[in-house]
Amino acid sequence: MSGDFHPEQKRYLEGFVAGLQIAKTRGGTAGAVSDYSGPDAAALRAQDRVLQSGGKLSDPEKFKRELHPFDAYGRLKEQAAQNEYPKPPDNFRWRFHGLFYVAPAQDSYMCRLRLPNGILTQAQFAGVADLAERYGGGYAHVTTRANLQVREIEARHAVVMLEAILDLGLCSRGSGADNIRNVTGSPTAGIDPQELLDTRPYAREWHFHILNDRSLYGLPRKFNVAFDGGGIVPALEETNDIGFQAVGVKDGFGLEPGVWFRLCLGGITGHKDFARDSGVVVKPAEATKVADAVVRVFIDHGDRTNRAKARLKYVIDRLGLEAFLGLMEEKLGRKLDRAPVEALAPRPALDRSAHIGVHAQKQKGLHWIGVVLPVGKLTVAQMRGLADVARDMGDGDIRLTVWQNLLLSGVPAKKLKAAEAAIAALGLSTNASSIRAGLVACTGNVGCKFSASDTKRHAEDIARWCESRVALDGPVNIHLTGCHHSCAQHYIGDIGLLACKVEASPESDEQIEGYHIFVGGGFGPDAGLGRELYRDVKASDVPTTVEKMLKGYLAHRAAAQENFLTFSRRHEVEALRQIFSETEAVT
């Protein structure tokens, strides 16, 4: 009888039957809130509340309800055996395993890993290079979540890729879709002379807590968590749903003095919001329990009908911060610890260029080397070469950063020259122009169907054009993102570019690649959202536009010490346009 149905019809029937089985085995029906049990219970009850109130679940919620992604591994294996790519429901489900079918940009899978605190060993790094060569396109990308992803994986290699990643002691589980994404932390954790605490054990504990509790995979939308230990390299924790900021708590405020985490909630800069200070401080040993409580409140109260309003920020906006914290306390079974601002010592200063070049560690005689990567892309040969440098000249760790580059740590002074020479021989550098050091770009339309432009290529165009024409004496961050998802966080760049389609000419209906340009975004103590400066700039005109902006800044800054951020915030948008329009570009 199965021969009478098309494959898509069979999939629909399988999902329908799976939904009936869920309702039957768990005592539930589609229209009523049921007394479920098991790890999926909270998510199913949240879905039932939507249906009971007459609401309509979003498609991804329906996909999860019909067949949980972790119960569908057999189907993934069948598709791989037939070299078959998934239809939309399974494309969503396979992201729970770290696989993204990225057609039409590429007719292949992308696989994204999980690397707690962004750190892996040189052997693991070289192993990922081997997998990228064997099953992918021969390269990997460092992401803005201090992670790695491999592209151009054929359907027939999907499962063997996932299992080979596990063989390396790594994993990809939950790195996509409605899950808690890669856990980031200070890239210089444990080696930074100024850090307040080493974030590695806390990121690692939370990482394994997620992996070993299926009930944390019932979220209504993706979720980001970051730990910042007060190190010199920014971790951008304020752009996450949960940001744990190491702070010194002073004596005399009813709390044990020492280093705590300040709890920041609801960051999502693509939706124009930073994580807000909750007024709560958390003992580092309690961070996982507190994060768990946040996530469980999110599971209960997140929006499962409107994907655009489903992130944690919108739950807090709807309930109010104090009500949200009260629900957290119910989950924890105790009161949260509160600390007024005056109870907290000032945090150590950030250095926007410390992720590039040679820097002394707190371990005497040792250094980390920040390696510049061309907008995060590495060939397998470069990956193996860097692994060799880490093994032979460093402590064996590869530390990825949210700035799409990496650090090699534990390099003795006597090996620094040899290490830098070896890195240069790979076609990479440990020095960067003020433009290239802060250049961030998402995947772009070469590998992402949502992107309106080729962001990585255009980022390189900007760097090549400007670094030979503009003599900057301080860092300027330029972020290019291809769509509203804002993976490259254009709103927090000194200069931010959001891709769009623009008319090729007034006489033509042809649409070509272009950008809206924002100015004055910042992070950390300078946190703020960029303001729109220009709309619909053709991609071909962007390098000269950025050149004029940078030259206008150099010509009109108040003093040599005034950085681009301060300069741009000191002027209204119209004044900036006037200044930049009077600046000539070099052809």
Side-chain angles (χ1 to χ4, degrees):
M1 186 173 179
S2 62
D4 297 333
F5 296 96
H6 297 299
E8 187 62 23
Q9 293 173 316
K10 287 194 288 182
R11 287 194 188 89
Y12 175 82
L13 290 172
E14 287 170 358
F16 179 76
V17 171
L20 291 177
Q21 289 174 336
I22 290 172
K24 181 178 179 181
T25 59
R26 294 171 176 164
T29 60
V33 178
S34 302
D35 187 20
Y36 296 110
S37 61
D40 305 328
L44 290 167
R45 283 195 293 267
Q47 291 175 339
D48 278 359
R49 285 192 290 272
V50 172
L51 297 172
Q52 189 181 49
S53 66
K56 182 180 179 181
L57 296 174
S58 65
D59 285 343
E61 290 298 310
K62 294 175 185 176
F63 300 155
K64 291 182 286 187
R65 189 177 180 88
E66 291 166 357
L67 180 61
H68 194 286
F70 293 155
D71 294 333
Y73 196 68
R75 182 187 293 183
L76 173 59
K77 291 180 70 174
E78 290 175 3
Q79 291 177 9
Q82 299 169 15
N83 200 28
E84 176 185 336
Y85 290 108
K87 296 296 189 291
D90 282 343
N91 184 16
F92 177 80
R93 292 186 182 104
W94 301 161
R95 296 180 183 205
F96 276 64
H97 299 276
L99 284 173
F100 297 67
Y101 180 45
V102 294
Q106 293 173 327
D107 191 26
S108 58
Y109 281 115
M110 177 268 283
C111 184
R112 182 184 295 152
L113 278 60
R114 294 192 75 93
L115 308 170
N117 214 114
I119 300 174
L120 68 169
T121 68
Q122 57 82 21
Q124 291 170 326
F125 195 64
V128 174
D130 291 343
L131 299 184
E133 182 175 67
R134 191 178 308 147
Y135 304 123
Y139 61 94
H141 286 153
V142 177
T143 76
T144 54
R145 288 207 63 76
N147 201 356
L148 287 172
Q149 54 191 36
V150 176
R151 293 184 168 270
E152 299 184 46
I153 302 167
E154 293 184 43
R156 63 194 177 98
H157 291 147
V159 171
V160 69
M161 179 72 177
L162 294 181
E163 295 176 356
I165 288 169
L166 292 171
D167 288 337
L168 293 175
L170 302 172
C171 73
S172 59
R173 183 184 180 97
S175 61
D178 299 343
N179 292 303
I180 305 166
R181 302 298 182 83
N182 190 49
V183 184
T184 56
S186 295
T188 53
I191 63 174
D192 197 315
Q194 74 169 41
E195 71 181 0
L196 300 176
L197 60 72
D198 182 347
T199 60
R200 290 175 296 179
Y202 307 107
R204 180 179 171 84
E205 180 184 3
W206 177 235
H207 167 83
F208 283 106
H209 182 75
I210 298 163
L211 291 179
N212 289 291
D213 192 337
R214 173 162 159 166
S215 66
L216 296 175
Y217 291 83
L219 280 65
R221 203 67 169 86
K222 71 176 183 178
F223 200 92
N224 293 326
V225 181
F227 295 82
D228 187 282
I232 198 169
V233 179
L236 298 183
E237 73 285 352
E238 69 271 25
T239 67
N240 288 253
D241 296 278
I242 300 177
F244 286 108
Q245 293 180 337
V247 291
V249 173
K250 303 174 187 176
D251 199 2
F253 290 89
L255 296 170
E256 180 184 348
V259 177
W260 294 58
F261 281 127
R262 176 164 52 191
L263 179 66
C264 300
L265 296 172
I268 174 172
T269 54
H271 292 215
K272 301 184 178 182
D273 214 350
F274 289 90
R276 65 200 73 177
D277 180 5
S278 66
V280 170
V281 290
V282 179
K283 289 184 177 180
E286 299 290 318
T288 287
K289 290 181 181 178
V290 171
D292 181 275
V294 175
V295 172
R296 294 189 191 281
V297 175
F298 181 50
I299 290 171
D300 290 346
H301 296 275
D303 193 321
R304 296 178 184 270
T305 63
N306 182 357
R307 302 281 287 176
K309 299 290 185 180
R311 292 290 295 273
L312 179 68
K313 160 190 160 54
Y314 294 104
V315 176
I316 297 173
D317 287 348
R318 174 163 38 89
L319 298 179
L321 179 59
E322 284 303 317
F324 186 89
L325 295 175
L327 292 170
M328 284 178 57
E329 290 176 334
E330 290 179 14
K331 297 290 185 184
L332 285 168
R334 65 171 176 82
K335 290 291 185 181
L336 293 161
D337 293 302
R338 310 290 183 111
V341 173
E342 57 269 23
L344 307 180
R347 303 187 78 228
L350 303 174
D351 183 340
R352 294 173 60 180
S353 59
H355 63 289
I356 301 296
V358 176
H359 300 269
Q361 298 180 190
K362 65 182 178 182
Q363 293 83 8
K364 186 176 180 180
L366 299 182
H367 304 77
W368 76 76
I369 303 176
V371 182
V372 183
L373 308 180
V375 285
K377 187 173 181 179
L378 282 167
T379 67
V380 294
Q382 289 171 329
M383 293 175 73
R384 292 184 182 118
L386 289 169
D388 289 344
V389 175
R391 181 195 62 214
D392 298 337
M393 303 180 199
D395 59 17
D397 280 347
I398 306 285
R399 296 164 173 261
L400 308 182
T401 84
V402 296
W403 304 103
Q404 293 185 305
N405 76 318
L406 59 82
L407 315 179
L408 304 179
S409 51
V411 181
K414 63 182 179 181
K415 293 186 177 181
L416 283 173
K417 287 186 178 180
E420 290 189 277
I423 292 165
L426 297 171
L428 300 172
S429 174
T430 58
N431 297 298
S433 66
S434 296
I435 294 172
R436 198 174 289 274
L439 195 62
V440 177
C442 69
T443 297
N445 59 13
V446 171
C448 177
K449 67 180 180 181
F450 297 109
S451 180
S453 70
D454 188 351
T455 53
K456 288 191 182 294
R457 178 169 62 84
H458 296 148
E460 281 293 313
D461 290 345
I462 291 169
R464 279 193 298 267
W465 180 266
C466 291
E467 60 191 355
S468 63
R469 292 171 170 83
V470 185
L472 288 172
D473 50 14
V476 174
N477 283 15
I478 302 176
H479 295 232
L480 293 86
T481 198
C483 73
H484 64 281
H485 291 122
S486 190
C487 292
Q489 305 195 68
H490 61 284
Y491 280 120
I492 68 167
D494 290 311
I495 298 173
L497 294 93
L498 174 61
C500 62
K501 294 296 185 183
V502 302
E503 291 185 357
S505 68
E507 299 79 23
S508 171
D509 293 332
E510 180 188 0
Q511 296 283 298
I512 60 174
E513 295 177 0
Y515 291 89
H516 307 315
I517 300 180
F518 300 79
V519 67
F523 52 88
D526 298 318
L529 299 171
R531 298 168 293 164
E532 186 174 275
L533 184 69
Y534 301 119
R535 287 190 67 80
D536 300 331
V537 179
K538 295 177 183 178
S540 59
D541 293 334
V542 165
T544 54
T545 301
V546 174
E547 178 195 356
K548 289 181 179 181
M549 293 171 67
L550 297 175
K551 284 184 172 179
Y553 149 65
L554 291 175
H556 293 85
R557 59 185 174 177
Q561 294 75 32
E562 184 176 43
N563 61 31
F564 185 90
L565 176 63
T566 304
F567 165 80
S568 62
R569 289 183 176 177
R570 185 165 55 83
H571 293 85
E572 296 297 328
V573 166
E574 282 301 325
L576 289 173
R577 291 190 187 121
Q578 182 64 33
I579 290 170
F580 299 152
S581 68
E582 295 171 352
T583 305
E584 292 186 5
V586 177
T587 59

